[in-house]
Amino acid sequence: MRSKTLKFGEGFRVAFEVRKAQAAEMVIPPGDSEGGPDNRHRGADQWLFVVAGSGQAIVETEGRKRRVALAPGTLLVIEKGEKHEVRNTGRTLLRTLNFYYPPAFAKDGDPKGPGKK
């Protein structure tokens, strides 16, 4: 068993991983974004859950860009290989909890293994 209290301070931090899954916290300041037009995880699905704040995810699926409003309680699955960007469109920090299957990042936040960009 593992347990950790998340702080949700600005930035991206891997919380921990077990066997084939990984948890990370991502906090985006107002007006900022993570990802971009070429950002994707080639070998990992990303499950993004919004804890607080508001924003928008732009996900390219089958050659089409889809926009998804993000608000507390939103759960979004970005499948491996889908290009995506997450933007904070609100006035407060956008706080998300993310799960990657399989793990996509090293402890320092750099892409790794099959989840490499």
Side-chain angles (χ1 to χ4, degrees), residues 17-81:
E17 67 181 70
V18 292
R19 290 179 299 285
K20 296 183 181 181
Q22 180 177 60
E25 54 186 293
M26 181 170 63
V27 179
I28 304 171
D32 279 358
S33 66
E34 285 291 328
D38 294 321
N39 178 56
R40 63 179 152 184
H41 312 291
R42 295 185 193 282
D45 294 329
Q46 177 181 356
W47 293 66
L48 180 147
F49 179 76
V50 179
V51 175
S54 60
Q56 181 181 69
I58 302 163
V59 181
E60 188 174 319
T61 304
E62 299 174 4
R64 257 183 64 219
K65 284 188 180 179
R66 294 187 54 212
R67 296 175 188 277
V68 177
L70 302 175
T74 301
L75 176 63
L76 172 67
V77 178
I78 302 166
E79 294 185 51
K80 67 181 176 181

